[in-house]
Amino acid sequence: MTALRAFLALIALAMTPAVAQAQTWQPHPGAPAVDPHRYQADQHRLEMDRLRARADQRDTFARQLETETRLNRQQIEAARLPEPVQLPGPRALRSPEEELALRQSASGRRAAAASEVGQIDTWLDRPRD
């Protein structure tokens, strides 16, 4: 029993250093201490994070400016005096003879426009050779 306990303690002590070692990158003998590819990848990752943070700041600033612009516009529109409503003036009174003359001239203009359109329609509908 004592031998078994001693054997188990020996195994536990033998495993302890292996567990305690950190798993870090170890260069090969003769290789540089810094892995250039890993260093470059870290630089790229950090630069991308920086660019993303700046883009987020710009987006936030743009949203803030949009909100301020909207509020300023609302304040300006609220401070503006409303335009007075102008009612149409009273209709000019004409004599029945003037009304008759105006109606006849309007009907004459309509008839002239219709005849001109009719001439265009007949010209467009002419038989083509």
Side-chain angles (χ1 to χ4, degrees), residues 27-42:
H28 299 293
V34 176
D35 183 13
H37 301 295
R38 183 174 292 182
Y39 179 73
Q40 186 178 19
D42 286 342

Side-chain angles (χ1 to χ4, degrees), residues 35-53:
D35 183 13
H37 301 295
R38 183 174 292 182
Y39 179 73
Q40 186 178 19
D42 286 342
Q43 281 183 328
H44 288 189
R45 183 181 49 79
L46 291 173
E47 182 64 17
M48 290 300 293
D49 290 343
R50 186 184 69 80
L51 291 174
R52 280 190 191 103

Side-chain angles (χ1 to χ4, degrees), residues 91-99 102:
R91 190 171 167 212
L93 296 177
R94 296 188 183 101
S95 67
E97 293 81 20
E98 289 176 332
E99 287 287 334
L102 288 173

Side-chain angles (χ1 to χ4, degrees), residues 10-40:
L10 251 163
I11 291 176
L13 287 174
M15 289 182 64
T16 304
V19 174
Q21 286 182 347
Q23 296 180 358
T24 59
W25 179 76
Q26 297 294 328
H28 299 293
V34 176
D35 183 13
H37 301 295
R38 183 174 292 182
Y39 179 73
Q40 186 178 19

Side-chain angles (χ1 to χ4, degrees), residues 48-127:
M48 290 300 293
D49 290 343
R50 186 184 69 80
L51 291 174
R52 280 190 191 103
R54 288 192 62 200
D56 290 343
Q57 287 175 346
R58 284 192 302 269
D59 289 342
T60 304
F61 184 64
R63 275 189 246 112
Q64 179 184 1
L65 288 179
E66 287 174 2
T67 305
E68 289 176 5
T69 303
R70 197 175 313 116
L71 288 174
N72 288 339
R73 185 173 182 174
Q74 288 175 353
Q75 288 173 352
I76 290 170
E77 288 175 356
R80 184 181 301 164
L81 292 175
E83 293 183 16
V85 177
Q86 295 187 2
L87 298 174
R91 190 171 167 212
L93 296 177
R94 296 188 183 101
S95 67
E97 293 81 20
E98 289 176 332
E99 287 287 334
L100 180 63
L102 288 173
R103 286 187 189 132
Q104 286 176 350
S105 65
S107 64
R109 286 192 303 271
R110 281 193 298 274
S115 69
E116 291 171 1
V117 171
Q119 290 174 358
I120 293 171
D121 287 340
T122 56
W123 184 81
L124 289 174
D125 293 337
R126 74 185 186 283

